[in-house]
Amino acid sequence: MSTELISNLRLLHGAYNTVVILLFVYQGILGFRIRKSEKKPIHIIRRHRKTGPVIAILGILGFIAGLTVVSLDSGRILKYPFHLIIGLTIVFSIITTFIISRKIKGPEPYWRNRHYALGILIICLYAVQAFLGLGILL
């Protein structure tokens, strides 16, 4: 595979995941607004519930794309071990958050608090992942 194509795929992977990070931040803002509101903001709740699964899939696809780019480039998915470990942790956290979101019923805080904490963890991990990714690109 050509070096130019691999370079372009790496940039595309980074740009795609930058959009995914921004979507997760947007999703987090919606969730925070829901959490802090006294009245139930039904339109925000619907948007949060509707976009959550889509953004989760986009995040997982970003990880798969990264694995593909590294495999095409070097044939070794362990070429960037920290980036891989953080990526796997993000994927695991996304899946766990999605599963937990299905358990949220009514005002009960047990699953809501776990969902909230994992959401913050995902955003923080994405910040670390972006930093590591920039180190790989530059």
Side-chain angles (χ1 to χ4, degrees):
M1 190 145 296
S2 79
T3 310
E4 184 178 342
L5 178 60
I6 294 296
S7 294
N8 289 337
L9 288 174
R10 290 169 117 192
L11 287 173
L12 184 62
H13 170 68
Y16 173 86
N17 279 306
T18 298
V19 172
V20 170
I21 291 167
L22 293 174
L23 288 171
F24 267 98
V25 169
Y26 169 73
Q27 187 72 346
I29 290 169
L30 291 179
F32 190 72
R33 286 175 60 191
I34 293 166
R35 229 177 136 75
K36 293 301 173 190
S37 66
E38 291 181 22
K39 293 184 191 177
K40 284 190 169 203
I42 300 300
H43 65 289
I44 296 174
I45 293 170
R46 284 188 183 136
R47 193 176 323 146
H48 187 73
R49 286 181 181 168
K50 191 177 196 180
T51 59
V54 174
I55 296 170
I57 290 169
L58 293 174
I60 293 168
L61 289 175
F63 174 77
I64 293 168
L67 282 179
T68 304
V69 171
V70 172
S71 293
L72 291 173
D73 182 27
S74 68
R76 297 179 20 236
I77 62 168
L78 292 173
K79 184 172 182 181
Y80 306 105
F82 294 122
H83 198 63
L84 175 66
I85 290 167
I86 298 293
L88 280 170
T89 306
I90 290 170
V91 167
F92 176 75
S93 298
I94 289 171
I95 292 168
T96 305
T97 303
F98 177 77
I99 291 168
I100 285 174
S101 73
R102 299 297 177 213
K103 296 177 184 272
I104 296 173
K105 304 284 186 236
E108 175 60 38
Y110 183 81
W111 293 113
R112 284 181 197 286
N113 291 341
R114 279 142 186 80
H115 181 79
Y116 178 71
L118 277 169
I120 291 172
L121 175 66
I122 290 167
I123 292 170
C124 292
L125 287 172
Y126 262 125
V128 172
Q129 188 73 328
F131 178 77
L132 291 172
L134 284 173
I136 292 167
L137 280 175
L138 303 178

